[in-house]
Amino acid sequence: ALLNGANDIALVAESSRNRTAVDALLERRLVINTGKLRVKNLLLFSVVHSHPTQAEGCELYSTQCKLVRPPMMSWQSHFLDIGLFGRWLVLERRLEHYDVNEDDL
C-alpha cells in the first residue's frame, strides 16, 4: 500500500498533490528509514506504530532508564495505522484523494 501510494502520487503534478497524502507517506518513510517501525500482529488485525526512542537493534540509554522514557499516555502520537484483512485503513483514508490539492479549492 505504501509503495502503491508513492507511485500514484509520483504520477501527479506537484501542484495537484494533496498535502495530507504526501505528509502521510513522508511520515511513514521517515519511521521506516530510522528503524523505528513496529508492527504488532493481533489475531484479527495488525497495529503499526513507531517506537518513540529506539531504533531496532540499538540499545540507547533512554530506552533503559525509566526516568527518561516517554510517558505511556503518549502512545496515541506514535500510532500510525491499523491493518484489517490485508488493508491499511488509515493510509487508505489519507491517500483517498491524493490528486486533489485542497489549497486550490
Side-chain angles (χ1 to χ4, degrees):
L2 186 63
L3 290 176
N4 289 339
N7 289 338
D8 290 343
I9 287 180
L11 296 174
V12 176
E14 197 162 331
S15 60
S16 299
R17 294 178 186 170
N18 186 330
R19 194 72 211 151
T20 304
V22 172
D23 289 344
L25 289 176
L26 290 176
E27 177 187 22
R28 282 160 177 77
R29 281 187 191 168
L30 177 67
V31 171
I32 289 170
N33 290 339
T34 56
K36 295 182 177 184
L37 184 75
R38 301 291 188 271
V39 178
K40 302 264 187 204
N41 289 319
L42 306 169
L43 195 56
L44 297 175
F45 60 94
S46 299
V47 176
V48 178
H49 64 95
S50 64
H51 196 281
T53 57
Q54 177 180 341
E56 196 166 357
C58 182
E59 297 296 326
L60 300 175
Y61 177 74
S62 59
T63 62
Q64 297 173 6
C65 180
K66 292 180 182 178
L67 299 174
V68 254
R69 275 190 210 154
M72 287 298 291
M73 297 308 290
S74 70
W75 67 271
Q76 296 154 335
S77 63
H78 302 290
F79 171 78
L80 292 176
D81 213 334
I82 186 163
L84 187 62
F85 301 118
R87 296 175 55 197
W88 297 108
L89 302 178
V90 175
L91 184 62
E92 278 185 11
R93 182 173 292 157
R94 289 191 180 164
L95 294 178
E96 194 171 39
H97 300 291
Y98 66 91
D99 57 347
V100 178
N101 189 349
E102 295 173 354
D103 297 335
D104 291 342
L105 297 179

